[in-house]
Amino acid sequence: MEGGEGTEETPLPLVLTRFQLSEEYGFLLPDPLTELPEPYGPWMEIAHDLPQLIASHQLRSQVHQMPQLSTQHLRGREELHLAHLVLSFITMGYLWQEGEEGTVKVLPQNLAVPFWEVSQALGLPPILSHTDFVLANWRRKNPNRNLDTIISLPGGESLRGFILVTLLVEKAAVPGIKVGYRRAICAILQLDEETLHKALQELAEPPRGHSLPDFHVFPLSWKDNPAMPDGLIYEGVSDEPMAYSGGSAAQSTILHAFDELLGIRHSEEMVPADHATAFLHRMRDYMPPPHRAFVEEIHRAPSLKQHVLSSGDARLCTAFNRCISALAEFRSYHITIVTKYITVPPSALEAKGTGGSHIFSFLKSVRDTTREGMISA
Ligand code: HEM
């Protein structure tokens, strides 16, 4: 899964580490911590035992007995990410322990205040997002380097599989991100059509495939969710309820970055209140700020599509269109999987994830506007 970039020098503005992007792991947190320092033992104990505590309906009482810990002993990005991961998973379990009918309106202060503080420090929302679910939630299980999650929720192997496959997709996208961002943009800046052509050819190669697993869908949102119509009060933070969307791979930076690179503009015509563009843009608020800045940087870079169009070079047009096809195919494959595995009626799901968009018309619209990004002959 290594990028085939050789050893060419990267002009300074195109250095990935500016955006907390790793050469090897892309948007994944490289080697996340699996334990917090000693004062945070009470959080870790609960987090490691979450599936059992939820199944035995004991999580809420355990949380009530938890001391309110200060976040001031947390040092550096790794500890903050693990703290956010742990607190977001505990929050999810706390809210959904009794299922959709038994949610609560208030997150207790001893959980809400540290969760809020850690979220502020990272620039992330105080809810379980793709960053917690996937980017910061992996470890090597054994010396054979098999992967495992750090924290889990009920959902057993199917949930674990979903997290790990999404993680592998993140990892598989790393060469494409490097080729697309560094080589393609660099080639445009240097008017180097030969390098640009090679970069586009590499970009159109699909990452080695990973099949998507069975996935038990459970409600993760307190925005536009009838089970929590008023949102959630973070006790000790604000008396007003707050609403946040739940974790979704729509918050993964990968496809946002490819869309920007290829100049794809999603539909604004679906559901006026929350069309595809608005939904996807809102999802950017759930990314770590440096990753969001990376997408914005690509948006500001010279337009690849304009460059290819004005070059009048048929080879470049073909290579560009192959990239668009590859992205549209990925989205078609994703729709097939979603159709296969989501067994609850779309109307029930709608309330849980997409904040007003019908899932399938949303996903198809995003796929179709990707295709419309092709350069016509
Ligand atoms: C069985 C597995 C999966 C299911 C059931 C599933 C389901 C969904 C659903 C329901 C949405 C609509 C948005 C939302 O409700 O939040 C969505 C969007 C999305 N999903 Fe998945 N997903 C799966 C796996 C993946 C994987 C592995 C990736 C790879 C990163 C992925 C990437 C995306 C993206 C990028 C979007 C936003 C729409 C787009 O840009 O095309 N999904 N998914």
Side-chain angles (χ1 to χ4, degrees):
M1 284 194 220
E2 286 311 303
E5 299 176 276
T7 52
E8 76 242 38
E9 288 204 356
T10 305
L12 246 188
L14 303 181
V15 168
L16 295 177
T17 45
R18 277 173 63 212
F19 303 103
Q20 286 182 0
L21 251 156
S22 136
E23 287 287 331
E24 191 177 355
Y25 296 104
F27 299 104
L28 295 167
L29 192 66
D31 294 316
L33 289 179
T34 55
E35 290 295 336
L36 285 173
E38 198 269 319
Y40 300 100
W43 293 352
M44 292 309 303
E45 273 167 37
I46 292 183
H48 284 313
D49 213 16
L50 266 183
Q52 294 77 355
L53 288 172
I54 294 170
S56 60
H57 301 268
Q58 289 176 335
L59 177 62
R60 284 187 186 162
S61 60
Q62 288 285 315
V63 167
H64 295 151
Q65 290 163 36
M66 202 173 73
Q68 183 168 334
L69 301 174
S70 159
T71 54
Q72 67 180 4
H73 307 292
L74 292 166
R75 297 274 172 269
R77 183 177 159 224
E78 281 74 17
E79 287 187 11
L80 284 168
H81 270 297
L82 181 55
H84 198 276
L85 162 65
V86 161
L87 295 173
S88 65
F89 271 72
I90 297 177
T91 296
M92 283 300 161
Y94 184 89
L95 296 178
W96 305 111
Q97 172 180 298
E98 304 302 328
E100 277 179 75
E101 309 307 320
T103 57
V104 295
K105 291 180 185 273
V106 180
L107 194 65
Q109 180 159 335
N110 55 348
L111 180 52
V113 169
F115 191 20
W116 181 264
E117 288 173 359
V118 171
S119 302
Q120 292 288 106
L122 285 169
L124 286 172
I127 189 167
L128 190 157
S129 66
H130 178 73
T131 302
D132 306 298
F133 210 49
V134 177
L135 303 183
N137 191 17
W138 66 279
R139 65 186 174 93
R140 293 195 177 83
K141 199 154 81 176
N142 54 33
N144 297 335
R145 301 164 76 82
N146 287 345
L147 295 174
D148 202 357
T149 54
I150 299 172
I151 309 290
S152 201
L153 282 168
E157 282 306 296
S158 88
L159 179 68
R160 198 174 142 271
F162 175 73
I163 296 174
L164 293 179
V165 167
T166 311
L167 188 139
L168 292 174
V169 175
E170 287 281 347
K171 180 79 168 72
V174 177
I177 291 289
K178 292 203 287 195
V179 169
Y181 177 61
R182 269 212 301 245
R183 283 221 274 159
I185 294 180
C186 195
I188 297 172
L189 292 171
Q190 294 171 349
L191 303 175
D192 179 350
E193 312 300 31
E194 209 41 56
T195 304
L196 181 59
H197 181 241
K198 276 195 206 140
L200 290 179
Q201 280 184 315
E202 267 183 52
L203 203 56
E205 289 301 322
R208 275 178 289 268
H210 299 288
S211 54
L212 297 179
D214 191 354
F215 175 46
H216 170 73
V217 177
F218 48 93
L220 292 168
S221 191
W222 39 98
K223 178 173 169 30
D224 304 320
N225 184 348
M228 295 179 69
D230 303 322
L232 180 68
I233 293 175
Y234 292 73
E235 191 183 52
V237 175
S238 166
D239 295 337
E240 292 300 314
M242 293 185 241
Y244 293 100
S245 297
S248 157
Q251 296 161 0
S252 161
T253 312
I254 306 169
L255 272 85
H256 291 257
F258 286 138
D259 280 347
E260 288 293 356
L261 182 71
L262 298 170
I264 290 158
R265 300 278 168 266
H266 291 297
S267 165
E268 303 204 355
E269 288 165 11
M270 281 176 33
V271 185
D274 199 2
H275 49 68
T277 313
F279 173 72
L280 287 173
H281 268 267
R282 198 154 54 72
M283 291 301 100
R284 293 185 185 180
D285 295 339
Y286 292 75
M287 296 174 187
H291 295 177
R292 199 184 314 144
F294 178 72
V295 180
E296 286 158 7
E297 172 91 350
I298 299 180
H299 179 76
R300 280 194 302 270
S303 160
L304 171 63
K305 187 172 182 179
Q306 276 313 317
H307 182 88
V308 172
L309 273 169
S310 52
S311 74
D313 183 332
R315 275 185 335 150
L316 279 186
C317 286
T318 308
F320 178 88
N321 282 346
R322 281 191 58 221
C323 294
I324 298 272
S325 287
L327 192 54
E329 271 168 35
F330 176 87
R331 287 192 154 123
S332 285
Y333 175 60
H334 176 257
I335 293 170
T336 312
I337 298 302
V338 177
T339 313
K340 190 170 158 197
Y341 286 116
I342 292 188
T343 46
V344 276
S347 56
L349 242 174
E350 182 189 329
K352 296 171 185 171
T354 50
S357 317
H358 291 279
I359 283 184
F360 291 104
S361 56
F362 162 73
L363 293 174
K364 282 179 187 153
S365 144
V366 173
R367 189 263 322 271
D368 293 345
T369 45
T370 306
R371 283 191 188 134
E372 285 161 21
M374 290 233 185
I375 295 174
S376 38

